[in-house]
Coordinates of all heavy atoms in Angstrom, one line a residue:
G7 N 8.5 12.9 -14.5 CA 9.1 12.5 -13.4 C 8.6 11.3 -12.7 O 9.2 10.2 -12.8
I8 N 7.5 11.4 -11.9 CA 7.1 10.4 -11.1 C 6.6 9.2 -11.9 O 6.8 8.0 -11.4 CB 6.1 10.8 -10.0 CG1 6.0 9.8 -8.9 CG2 4.8 11.1 -10.7 CD1 5.3 10.3 -7.7
K9 N 5.9 9.4 -13.0 CA 5.4 8.4 -13.8 C 6.5 7.5 -14.4 O 6.4 6.4 -14.6 CB 4.3 8.8 -14.8 CG 3.1 9.3 -14.2 CD 2.2 9.7 -15.4 CE 0.8 10.2 -14.7 NZ -0.1 10.7 -15.8
K10 N 7.6 8.2 -14.7 CA 8.6 7.5 -15.5 C 9.6 6.8 -14.5 O 10.0 5.7 -14.6 CB 9.5 8.6 -16.3 CG 10.6 8.0 -17.0 CD 11.2 9.0 -18.0 CE 12.3 8.4 -18.7 NZ 13.1 9.4 -19.5
F11 N 9.9 7.5 -13.3 CA 10.9 6.9 -12.4 C 10.2 6.4 -11.1 O 11.0 5.7 -10.4 CB 11.9 8.0 -12.1 CG 12.7 8.5 -13.2 CD1 12.5 9.8 -13.8 CD2 13.7 7.7 -13.8 CE1 13.1 10.2 -14.9 CE2 14.3 8.1 -15.0 CZ 14.1 9.4 -15.5
G12 N 9.0 6.7 -10.8 CA 8.4 6.2 -9.6 C 8.1 4.8 -9.6 O 8.0 4.2 -10.6
E13 N 8.0 4.3 -8.5 CA 7.7 2.8 -8.2 C 6.6 2.8 -7.1 O 6.6 3.4 -6.1 CB 9.0 2.2 -7.7 CG 8.9 0.7 -7.4 CD 10.1 0.1 -6.9 OE1 11.2 0.6 -7.2 OE2 10.0 -0.8 -6.1
T14 N 5.5 2.0 -7.5 CA 4.4 1.8 -6.5 C 4.9 0.9 -5.4 O 5.5 -0.2 -5.6 CB 3.2 1.2 -7.2 OG1 2.8 2.0 -8.3 CG2 2.1 1.0 -6.3
L15 N 4.6 1.3 -4.1 CA 5.0 0.4 -3.0 C 3.7 0.0 -2.3 O 2.8 0.7 -2.2 CB 5.8 1.3 -2.0 CG 7.2 1.7 -2.4 CD1 7.7 2.6 -1.3 CD2 8.1 0.5 -2.7
D16 N 3.8 -1.3 -1.9 CA 2.8 -1.8 -1.0 C 3.1 -1.4 0.4 O 4.1 -1.8 1.0 CB 2.7 -3.4 -1.1 CG 1.7 -4.0 -0.2 OD1 0.9 -3.2 0.5 OD2 1.6 -5.2 -0.1
V17 N 2.3 -0.5 0.9 CA 2.6 0.1 2.2 C 2.6 -0.8 3.3 O 3.3 -0.6 4.4 CB 1.7 1.3 2.6 CG1 1.8 2.5 1.6 CG2 0.2 0.9 2.7
T18 N 1.9 -2.0 3.3 CA 2.0 -3.0 4.3 C 3.2 -3.8 4.3 O 3.6 -4.4 5.3 CB 0.8 -3.8 4.2 OG1 0.8 -4.5 2.9 CG2 -0.5 -3.1 4.4
S19 N 3.9 -3.9 3.2 CA 5.1 -4.7 3.1 C 6.4 -4.0 2.8 O 7.5 -4.5 2.7 CB 4.9 -5.8 2.1 OG 4.8 -5.3 0.8
A20 N 6.3 -2.6 2.6 CA 7.5 -1.9 2.3 C 8.5 -1.9 3.5 O 8.0 -1.7 4.6 CB 7.1 -0.4 1.9
K21 N 9.7 -2.1 3.2 CA 10.7 -2.2 4.3 C 11.6 -0.8 4.2 O 12.8 -1.0 3.8 CB 11.6 -3.4 4.1 CG 10.8 -4.7 4.2 CD 10.3 -5.0 5.5 CE 9.7 -6.4 5.5 NZ 8.5 -6.4 6.3
I22 N 11.0 0.2 4.5 CA 11.7 1.5 4.5 C 11.7 2.1 5.9 O 10.8 1.9 6.6 CB 11.2 2.5 3.4 CG1 9.7 2.9 3.8 CG2 11.3 1.9 2.1 CD1 9.3 4.0 3.0
R23 N 12.7 2.9 6.1 CA 12.8 3.7 7.3 C 13.1 5.1 7.0 O 14.0 5.4 6.2 CB 13.9 3.1 8.3 CG 13.7 1.7 8.9 CD 12.7 1.8 10.0 NE 12.4 0.6 10.7 CZ 11.4 -0.3 10.3 NH1 10.6 0.1 9.4 NH2 11.3 -1.4 10.9
V24 N 12.4 6.0 7.7 CA 12.6 7.4 7.5 C 13.5 7.9 8.7 O 13.1 7.9 9.8 CB 11.3 8.2 7.4 CG1 11.5 9.8 7.3 CG2 10.4 7.7 6.3
D25 N 14.7 8.4 8.3 CA 15.6 8.9 9.3 C 15.2 10.4 9.7 O 15.5 10.8 10.8 CB 17.1 8.9 8.9 CG 17.5 7.5 8.7 OD1 17.2 6.7 9.5 OD2 18.2 7.3 7.6
L26 N 14.7 11.2 8.7 CA 14.6 12.6 8.8 C 13.3 13.0 8.1 O 13.1 12.6 6.9 CB 15.7 13.4 8.4 CG 15.7 14.9 8.5 CD1 17.1 15.4 8.9 CD2 15.2 15.6 7.3
F27 N 12.3 13.7 8.8 CA 11.1 14.2 8.2 C 11.1 15.6 8.2 O 11.2 16.3 9.3 CB 9.9 13.6 9.0 CG 8.6 13.8 8.4 CD1 8.1 13.1 7.3 CD2 7.8 14.9 8.8 CE1 6.9 13.2 6.8 CE2 6.5 15.1 8.2 CZ 6.1 14.2 7.2
L28 N 11.2 16.3 7.1 CA 11.4 17.7 6.9 C 10.0 18.4 6.7 O 9.3 18.0 5.7 CB 12.3 18.0 5.8 CG 12.6 19.5 5.5 CD1 13.3 20.1 6.7 CD2 13.4 19.7 4.3
I29 N 9.7 19.4 7.5 CA 8.4 20.1 7.3 C 8.6 21.6 7.5 O 9.5 22.1 8.1 CB 7.4 19.6 8.3 CG1 7.9 19.5 9.8 CG2 6.8 18.3 8.0 CD1 6.9 19.2 10.8
A30 N 7.7 22.4 6.9 CA 7.8 23.8 7.0 C 6.9 24.3 8.2 O 6.0 23.5 8.6 CB 7.2 24.5 5.7
S31 N 7.2 25.5 8.7 CA 6.4 26.0 9.8 C 6.2 27.5 9.6 O 7.0 28.2 9.2 CB 7.1 25.8 11.2 OG 7.2 24.4 11.5
M32 N 5.0 27.9 9.9 CA 4.7 29.4 10.0 C 5.1 30.0 11.3 O 5.5 31.2 11.3 CB 3.2 29.6 9.7 CG 2.8 29.2 8.3 SD 1.0 29.3 8.0 CE 0.6 30.9 8.6
A33 N 5.0 29.2 12.3 CA 5.5 29.6 13.7 C 5.8 28.3 14.4 O 5.3 27.2 14.2 CB 4.3 30.3 14.4
V34 N 6.8 28.4 15.3 CA 7.3 27.2 16.1 C 7.8 27.8 17.4 O 8.4 28.8 17.5 CB 8.4 26.5 15.3 CG1 9.6 27.3 15.0 CG2 8.7 25.2 16.0
D35 N 7.4 27.0 18.5 CA 7.9 27.3 19.8 C 9.2 26.6 20.0 O 9.3 25.3 20.0 CB 6.9 26.8 20.9 CG 7.2 27.2 22.3 OD1 8.3 27.3 22.6 OD2 6.2 27.4 23.0
P36 N 10.3 27.4 20.3 CA 11.6 26.8 20.4 C 11.8 25.9 21.6 O 12.7 25.0 21.7 CB 12.6 27.9 20.4 CG 11.8 29.1 20.8 CD 10.3 28.8 20.4
S37 N 11.0 26.1 22.7 CA 11.2 25.2 23.9 C 10.4 23.9 23.7 O 10.8 22.9 24.3 CB 10.7 26.0 25.1 OG 9.4 26.3 25.0
S38 N 9.2 23.9 23.1 CA 8.5 22.7 23.0 C 8.5 22.0 21.6 O 8.0 20.8 21.5 CB 7.0 23.0 23.3 OG 6.3 23.7 22.4
G39 N 8.8 22.7 20.6 CA 8.7 22.2 19.2 C 7.3 22.3 18.6 O 7.1 21.9 17.4
C40 N 6.3 22.7 19.3 CA 5.0 22.9 18.9 C 5.1 23.9 17.8 O 5.8 24.8 17.8 CB 4.1 23.4 19.9 SG 3.5 22.2 21.1
R41 N 4.4 23.5 16.7 CA 4.5 24.4 15.5 C 3.2 24.5 14.8 O 2.2 23.8 15.0 CB 5.4 23.7 14.5 CG 5.4 22.2 14.4 CD 6.2 21.6 13.3 NE 5.7 22.1 11.9 CZ 4.7 21.7 11.3 NH1 4.0 20.7 11.8 NH2 4.4 22.1 10.1
V42 N 3.1 25.5 14.0 CA 1.9 25.8 13.2 C 2.3 25.6 11.7 O 3.2 26.4 11.3 CB 1.3 27.2 13.5 CG1 0.1 27.5 12.6 CG2 0.9 27.4 14.9
G43 N 1.6 24.7 11.1 CA 2.1 24.6 9.6 C 1.3 25.4 8.7 O 0.4 26.0 9.1
P44 N 1.8 25.4 7.5 CA 1.1 26.3 6.5 C -0.3 25.8 6.2 O -0.5 24.5 6.3 CB 2.0 26.1 5.2 CG 3.3 25.6 5.7 CD 3.0 24.9 6.9
P45 N -1.3 26.6 5.8 CA -2.6 26.2 5.6 C -2.6 25.2 4.4 O -1.9 25.4 3.4 CB -3.4 27.5 5.2 CG -2.5 28.6 5.6 CD -1.1 28.0 5.7
G46 N -3.4 24.2 4.5 CA -3.5 23.2 3.4 C -2.4 22.2 3.3 O -2.4 21.4 2.4
S47 N -1.4 22.3 4.2 CA -0.3 21.3 4.1 C -0.8 20.0 4.6 O -1.8 19.8 5.4 CB 0.8 21.8 5.0 OG 0.5 21.9 6.3
S48 N -0.1 19.0 4.1 CA -0.6 17.5 4.5 C 0.5 16.7 5.3 O 0.5 15.6 5.3 CB -0.8 16.8 3.1 OG 0.4 16.8 2.3
E49 N 1.4 17.6 6.0 CA 2.4 16.8 6.7 C 1.9 15.9 7.8 O 2.5 14.8 8.0 CB 3.4 17.8 7.4 CG 3.0 18.5 8.7 CD 2.2 19.8 8.5 OE1 2.2 20.3 7.3 OE2 1.7 20.2 9.5
E50 N 0.8 16.2 8.5 CA 0.2 15.3 9.4 C -0.3 14.0 8.8 O -0.1 12.8 9.3 CB -0.9 15.9 10.2 CG -0.4 16.9 11.2 CD -1.5 17.5 12.1 OE1 -2.6 17.1 12.0 OE2 -1.1 18.4 12.8
L51 N -0.9 14.1 7.6 CA -1.4 12.8 6.9 C -0.1 12.1 6.4 O -0.1 10.8 6.6 CB -2.2 13.2 5.7 CG -2.7 12.1 4.9 CD1 -3.5 11.1 5.7 CD2 -3.5 12.7 3.6
E52 N 0.8 12.8 5.8 CA 2.1 12.0 5.4 C 2.8 11.4 6.6 O 3.2 10.2 6.5 CB 3.0 13.0 4.7 CG 2.4 13.6 3.4 CD 3.1 14.8 3.0 OE1 4.1 15.3 3.6 OE2 2.7 15.3 1.9
F53 N 3.0 12.0 7.6 CA 3.6 11.5 8.8 C 2.8 10.2 9.4 O 3.4 9.2 9.7 CB 3.7 12.5 9.9 CG 4.8 12.3 11.0 CD1 6.1 12.5 10.9 CD2 4.2 11.7 12.2 CE1 7.0 12.1 11.8 CE2 5.1 11.4 13.2 CZ 6.5 11.6 13.1
G54 N 1.5 10.5 9.5 CA 0.6 9.3 10.0 C 0.7 8.1 9.1 O 0.8 7.0 9.5
M55 N 0.8 8.3 7.7 CA 0.8 7.2 6.8 C 2.2 6.5 7.0 O 2.3 5.2 7.0 CB 0.7 7.7 5.3 CG -0.7 8.1 5.0 SD -0.8 8.9 3.4 CE -0.1 7.7 2.3
L56 N 3.2 7.3 7.1 CA 4.6 6.6 7.3 C 4.7 6.0 8.7 O 5.3 4.9 8.8 CB 5.6 7.8 7.3 CG 5.8 8.3 5.9 CD1 6.7 9.6 5.9 CD2 6.5 7.2 5.0
Q57 N 3.9 6.4 9.8 CA 3.9 5.8 11.0 C 3.2 4.4 10.8 O 3.7 3.4 11.4 CB 3.2 6.5 12.1 CG 3.9 7.6 12.8 CD 3.2 8.3 13.9 OE1 1.9 8.6 13.6 NE2 3.8 8.6 15.0
E58 N 2.0 4.4 10.2 CA 1.4 3.2 10.0 C 2.1 2.1 9.2 O 2.0 0.9 9.4 CB 0.0 3.4 9.3 CG -1.0 4.1 10.3 CD -2.4 4.0 9.9 OE1 -2.7 3.4 8.8 OE2 -3.3 4.5 10.6
M59 N 3.0 2.6 8.2 CA 3.9 1.7 7.5 C 5.0 1.2 8.3 O 5.7 0.2 7.9 CB 4.5 2.5 6.3 CG 3.5 2.7 5.2 SD 4.3 3.9 4.0 CE 5.7 2.9 3.4
G60 N 5.2 1.8 9.5 CA 6.4 1.4 10.2 C 7.7 2.1 9.8 O 8.8 1.8 10.3
A61 N 7.5 3.1 8.9 CA 8.7 3.8 8.3 C 9.2 4.9 9.3 O 10.4 5.2 9.4 CB 8.5 4.3 7.0
V62 N 8.2 5.5 10.0 CA 8.6 6.5 11.0 C 8.6 5.8 12.4 O 7.6 5.2 12.8 CB 7.6 7.6 11.0 CG1 7.7 8.6 12.2 CG2 7.7 8.5 9.7
V63 N 9.7 5.9 13.0 CA 9.9 5.3 14.4 C 10.3 6.4 15.4 O 10.5 7.6 15.1 CB 10.9 4.2 14.4 CG1 10.4 3.1 13.5 CG2 12.2 4.7 13.9
K64 N 10.3 6.0 16.6 CA 10.6 7.0 17.7 C 11.9 7.8 17.4 O 12.0 9.0 17.7 CB 10.7 6.3 19.0 CG 10.8 7.3 20.2 CD 10.7 6.6 21.6 CE 10.6 7.5 22.7 NZ 9.9 7.0 23.7
R65 N 12.8 7.2 16.8 CA 14.2 7.9 16.6 C 14.2 8.7 15.3 O 15.2 9.4 15.0 CB 15.3 7.0 16.6 CG 15.3 6.0 15.4 CD 16.6 5.1 15.5 NE 16.6 4.2 14.4 CZ 16.0 3.0 14.3 NH1 15.4 2.6 15.3 NH2 16.2 2.3 13.2
T66 N 13.1 8.7 14.6 CA 12.9 9.5 13.3 C 13.0 11.0 13.8 O 12.2 11.5 14.6 CB 11.7 9.3 12.6 OG1 11.7 7.9 12.1 CG2 11.6 10.2 11.4
S67 N 13.9 11.8 13.2 CA 14.0 13.2 13.6 C 13.0 14.1 12.7 O 13.0 13.8 11.5 CB 15.5 13.7 13.3 OG 16.4 13.2 14.2
V68 N 12.3 14.9 13.4 CA 11.4 15.9 12.7 C 12.1 17.2 12.7 O 12.4 17.8 13.8 CB 10.0 15.9 13.4 CG1 9.1 16.9 12.6 CG2 9.3 14.6 13.4
V69 N 12.4 17.7 11.5 CA 13.2 18.9 11.3 C 12.2 20.0 10.6 O 11.5 19.6 9.6 CB 14.4 18.7 10.5 CG1 15.1 20.0 10.2 CG2 15.3 17.7 11.2
T70 N 12.1 21.1 11.2 CA 11.4 22.2 10.6 C 12.2 23.3 10.2 O 13.3 23.6 10.8 CB 10.2 22.6 11.4 OG1 9.3 23.4 10.7 CG2 10.7 23.4 12.7
I71 N 11.8 24.0 9.2 CA 12.5 25.3 8.7 C 11.5 26.4 8.9 O 10.3 26.3 8.7 CB 12.9 25.1 7.2 CG1 11.7 24.8 6.3 CG2 14.1 24.2 7.1 CD1 12.0 24.8 4.8
A72 N 12.0 27.5 9.5 CA 11.2 28.7 9.7 C 12.1 29.9 9.8 O 13.3 29.8 9.9 CB 10.6 28.5 11.1
D73 N 11.5 31.0 9.5 CA 12.2 32.3 9.6 C 12.5 32.6 11.1 O 11.7 32.2 11.9 CB 11.4 33.4 8.9 CG 12.5 34.4 8.2 OD1 13.5 34.7 8.9 OD2 12.2 34.7 7.1
S74 N 13.5 33.4 11.4 CA 13.8 33.8 12.8 C 12.6 34.4 13.5 O 12.4 34.2 14.7 CB 15.0 34.6 12.9 OG 16.1 34.0 12.3
Y75 N 11.8 35.2 12.9 CA 10.7 35.9 13.4 C 9.5 35.0 13.7 O 8.7 35.3 14.4 CB 10.2 37.0 12.5 CG 9.7 36.7 11.1 CD1 8.4 36.2 11.1 CD2 10.4 36.7 10.0 CE1 7.9 35.8 9.9 CE2 10.0 36.4 8.8 CZ 8.7 35.9 8.7 OH 8.1 35.5 7.5
A76 N 9.6 33.7 13.2 CA 8.6 32.8 13.4 C 8.8 32.0 14.7 O 8.0 31.1 15.0 CB 8.5 31.8 12.2
L77 N 9.8 32.2 15.4 CA 10.1 31.6 16.8 C 9.2 32.4 17.8 O 9.3 33.5 18.0 CB 11.6 31.7 17.1 CG 12.5 31.0 16.2 CD1 14.0 31.2 16.7 CD2 12.2 29.5 16.1
V78 N 8.2 31.5 18.3 CA 7.2 32.2 19.2 C 7.0 31.3 20.4 O 6.8 30.0 20.3 CB 5.8 32.2 18.4 CG1 4.7 32.8 19.3 CG2 5.9 33.0 17.2
D79 N 7.2 31.9 21.6 CA 7.0 31.1 22.8 C 5.5 31.0 23.1 O 4.7 31.8 22.9 CB 7.7 31.9 24.0 CG 9.2 31.9 23.9 OD1 9.8 30.9 23.4 OD2 9.8 32.9 24.3
G80 N 5.1 29.8 23.7 CA 3.8 29.6 24.2 C 2.8 29.0 23.3 O 1.7 29.0 23.6
I81 N 3.3 28.4 22.1 CA 2.3 27.6 21.3 C 1.9 26.5 22.1 O 2.8 25.7 22.4 CB 2.9 27.4 19.9 CG1 3.4 28.6 19.2 CG2 2.0 26.6 19.1 CD1 4.1 28.4 17.9
S82 N 0.6 26.3 22.3 CA 0.2 25.2 23.1 C -0.2 23.9 22.3 O -0.6 23.9 21.2 CB -1.0 25.6 24.0 OG -2.0 26.0 23.2
L83 N -0.1 22.8 23.0 CA -0.6 21.5 22.5 C -1.7 21.0 23.3 O -1.8 21.1 24.5 CB 0.7 20.6 22.7 CG 0.5 19.1 22.2 CD1 0.3 19.1 20.6 CD2 1.7 18.3 22.6
G84 N -2.7 20.5 22.6 CA -3.8 20.0 23.2 C -5.1 20.2 22.4 O -5.1 20.8 21.3
E85 N -6.2 19.9 23.0 CA -7.5 20.1 22.4 C -7.8 21.5 22.0 O -7.7 22.4 22.7 CB -8.7 19.6 23.3 CG -10.0 19.4 22.6 CD -10.0 18.2 21.6 OE1 -9.3 17.3 21.8 OE2 -10.8 18.4 20.6
G86 N -8.1 21.7 20.7 CA -8.3 23.1 20.2 C -7.2 23.9 20.0 O -7.3 25.0 19.7
A87 N -6.0 23.4 20.3 CA -4.8 24.2 20.2 C -4.4 24.3 18.7 O -4.8 23.5 17.9 CB -3.6 23.6 20.9
L88 N -3.7 25.3 18.5 CA -3.2 25.6 17.1 C -2.0 24.7 16.8 O -1.7 24.4 15.6 CB -2.6 27.0 16.9 CG -3.6 28.1 16.9 CD1 -3.0 29.5 16.9 CD2 -4.6 27.9 15.7
C89 N -1.3 24.1 17.7 CA -0.1 23.3 17.5 C -0.4 22.0 16.6 O -1.4 21.3 16.8 CB 0.4 22.8 18.8 SG 2.0 21.8 18.6
S90 N 0.5 21.8 15.6 CA 0.4 20.6 14.8 C 0.6 19.4 15.7 O 1.3 19.5 16.7 CB 1.4 20.7 13.7 OG 1.6 19.4 13.2
K91 N 0.1 18.2 15.3 CA 0.3 17.0 16.0 C 1.7 16.4 15.7 O 2.1 15.4 16.2 CB -0.8 15.9 15.7 CG -2.1 16.4 16.2 CD -3.2 15.4 16.0 CE -4.5 15.9 16.4 NZ -5.6 15.0 16.1
V92 N 2.5 17.1 14.8 CA 3.8 16.7 14.5 C 4.8 17.8 15.0 O 5.2 18.7 14.1 CB 4.0 16.4 13.0 CG1 5.4 15.8 12.7 CG2 3.0 15.4 12.6
P93 N 5.1 17.9 16.2 CA 6.1 18.9 16.6 C 7.6 18.6 16.1 O 7.9 17.5 15.8 CB 6.0 18.9 18.2 CG 5.6 17.5 18.5 CD 4.8 17.1 17.4
A94 N 8.4 19.7 16.2 CA 9.7 19.5 15.6 C 10.7 19.1 16.8 O 10.6 19.5 17.9 CB 10.1 20.9 15.1
D95 N 11.7 18.3 16.4 CA 12.8 17.9 17.2 C 14.0 19.0 17.0 O 14.7 19.2 17.9 CB 13.4 16.6 16.8 CG 12.4 15.5 17.0 OD1 11.9 15.3 18.1 OD2 12.1 14.7 16.0
I96 N 14.1 19.4 15.8 CA 15.1 20.4 15.4 C 14.5 21.5 14.6 O 13.6 21.3 13.7 CB 16.2 19.7 14.5 CG1 16.9 18.4 15.4 CG2 17.2 20.7 14.0 CD1 17.7 17.6 14.5
I97 N 14.9 22.7 14.9 CA 14.4 23.9 14.2 C 15.5 24.6 13.5 O 16.5 25.0 14.2 CB 13.7 24.9 15.3 CG1 12.6 24.2 16.0 CG2 13.1 26.1 14.6 CD1 12.1 24.9 17.3
C98 N 15.4 24.8 12.3 CA 16.5 25.5 11.5 C 15.9 26.9 11.0 O 14.9 26.9 10.4 CB 16.9 24.7 10.2 SG 17.6 23.1 10.7
T99 N 16.6 28.0 11.3 CA 16.3 29.2 10.8 C 17.6 29.7 10.0 O 18.6 29.1 10.0 CB 16.2 30.3 12.0 OG1 17.3 30.5 12.6 CG2 15.1 29.7 13.0
P100 N 17.4 30.8 9.3 CA 18.6 31.3 8.6 C 19.8 31.5 9.4 O 20.9 31.5 8.9 CB 18.1 32.5 7.9 CG 16.6 32.4 7.7 CD 16.2 31.6 9.0
S101 N 19.6 31.8 10.7 CA 20.7 32.2 11.6 C 21.1 31.2 12.7 O 22.1 31.3 13.3 CB 20.5 33.5 12.2 OG 19.3 33.4 13.0
S102 N 20.3 30.2 12.8 CA 20.6 29.2 13.9 C 19.9 27.8 13.7 O 19.0 27.7 12.9 CB 20.2 29.7 15.2 OG 18.8 29.9 15.3
T103 N 20.4 26.9 14.4 CA 19.8 25.5 14.5 C 19.5 25.2 15.9 O 20.4 25.3 16.8 CB 20.7 24.5 13.9 OG1 20.9 24.8 12.5 CG2 20.1 23.1 14.0
L104 N 18.4 25.0 16.3 CA 17.9 24.7 17.7 C 17.5 23.2 17.9 O 16.8 22.7 17.0 CB 16.8 25.7 18.1 CG 17.0 27.1 17.8 CD1 15.7 27.9 18.0 CD2 18.1 27.7 18.8
T105 N 17.8 22.7 19.0 CA 17.4 21.3 19.3 C 16.4 21.4 20.4 O 16.6 22.0 21.4 CB 18.5 20.4 19.7 OG1 19.5 20.4 18.7 CG2 18.0 19.0 20.0
V106 N 15.1 20.8 20.2 CA 14.1 20.8 21.2 C 14.3 19.6 22.1 O 14.6 18.5 21.7 CB 12.7 20.6 20.5 CG1 11.6 20.6 21.5 CG2 12.6 21.9 19.6
R107 N 14.4 19.9 23.5 CA 14.7 18.8 24.4 C 13.7 17.7 24.5 O 14.0 16.5 24.4 CB 14.9 19.4 25.8 CG 16.1 20.3 25.8 CD 16.6 20.5 27.2 NE 17.6 21.5 27.4 CZ 18.9 21.3 27.1 NH1 19.4 20.1 26.8 NH2 19.8 22.3 27.2
N108 N 12.4 17.9 24.5 CA 11.4 16.9 24.8 C 10.2 17.2 23.9 O 9.1 17.6 24.4 CB 10.9 16.8 26.2 CG 12.1 16.3 27.1 OD1 12.8 15.3 26.8 ND2 12.4 17.0 28.1
P109 N 10.2 17.1 22.6 CA 9.1 17.3 21.8 C 7.9 16.3 22.1 O 8.3 15.1 22.4 CB 9.5 17.2 20.4 CG 10.7 16.4 20.4 CD 11.3 16.6 21.8
R110 N 6.6 16.7 22.1 CA 5.6 15.7 22.5 C 4.8 15.4 21.2 O 4.0 16.2 20.8 CB 4.7 16.3 23.5 CG 5.4 16.4 24.8 CD 4.4 17.1 25.9 NE 3.0 16.9 25.6 CZ 2.2 17.7 26.1 NH1 2.4 18.8 26.7 NH2 0.9 17.6 25.8
R111 N 5.0 14.2 20.6 CA 4.2 13.9 19.5 C 2.9 13.2 19.9 O 3.0 12.3 20.7 CB 5.1 12.9 18.6 CG 6.3 13.4 18.0 CD 6.9 12.5 17.0 NE 8.2 13.1 16.7 CZ 9.2 12.4 16.2 NH1 9.1 11.1 16.3 NH2 10.4 12.9 16.0
T112 N 1.8 13.7 19.3 CA 0.6 13.2 19.7 C -0.1 12.4 18.6 O -1.1 11.8 18.7 CB -0.4 14.3 20.1 OG1 -0.6 15.2 19.0 CG2 0.1 15.0 21.3
L113 N 0.5 12.4 17.3 CA -0.1 11.8 16.3 C 0.3 10.3 16.3 O 1.4 10.0 16.5 CB 0.4 12.4 15.0 CG -0.3 11.9 13.6 CD1 -1.7 12.3 13.6 CD2 0.5 12.5 12.4
K114 N -0.7 9.5 16.3 CA -0.5 8.0 16.3 C -1.2 7.4 15.1 O -2.2 6.9 15.2 CB -1.1 7.4 17.6 CG -0.5 8.0 18.8 CD 0.9 7.6 19.2 CE 1.4 8.1 20.5 NZ 2.5 8.8 20.5
G115 N -0.5 7.4 13.9 CA -1.1 6.9 12.7 C -2.1 7.9 12.1 O -2.3 9.0 12.5
I116 N -3.1 7.3 11.4 CA -4.1 8.1 10.8 C -5.4 7.9 11.4 O -5.9 6.8 11.8 CB -4.3 7.7 9.3 CG1 -3.0 7.9 8.5 CG2 -5.4 8.5 8.6 CD1 -2.9 7.3 7.2
D117 N -6.1 9.0 11.7 CA -7.5 8.9 12.3 C -8.4 8.9 11.1 O -8.6 9.9 10.4 CB -7.8 10.1 13.1 CG -9.2 10.2 13.8 OD1 -9.9 9.1 13.6 OD2 -9.5 11.2 14.5
W118 N -9.1 7.7 10.8 CA -9.8 7.5 9.6 C -11.3 8.1 9.9 O -12.1 8.0 9.0 CB -9.8 6.0 9.3 CG -8.5 5.6 8.8 CD1 -7.6 4.9 9.4 CD2 -7.9 5.8 7.5 NE1 -6.5 4.6 8.7 CE2 -6.7 5.2 7.5 CE3 -8.3 6.5 6.4 CZ2 -5.8 5.2 6.4 CZ3 -7.4 6.6 5.2 CH2 -6.2 5.9 5.3
E119 N -11.6 8.5 11.1 CA -12.9 8.9 11.4 C -13.2 10.4 10.9 O -12.5 11.2 11.0 CB -13.2 8.9 12.9 CG -13.1 7.5 13.4 CD -14.2 6.5 12.7 OE1 -15.3 6.8 12.6 OE2 -13.8 5.4 12.4

């Protein structure tokens, strides 16, 4: 697949825009969009790389998929919190689609330290 059809992009000059970024969640707060991602997932790194490329912009929608039982109130954002730095704008469960009013994104590119 990727070796045959893939194309190497220079991330500094690629002219792409991401309209929708899809990520999985183990738990997500429907009021804030704060979410806990699966262990070992790399969505923050991928999102940060796309931010640095200029491909992810403020209007890029972050959509997460989660089971209905994974909707949990009170997942906090901040130092030492479980919340991912990439909260969801839209939450899709098998029975509903929820829009988060004011998700707070704290990830600003990649922290190389």
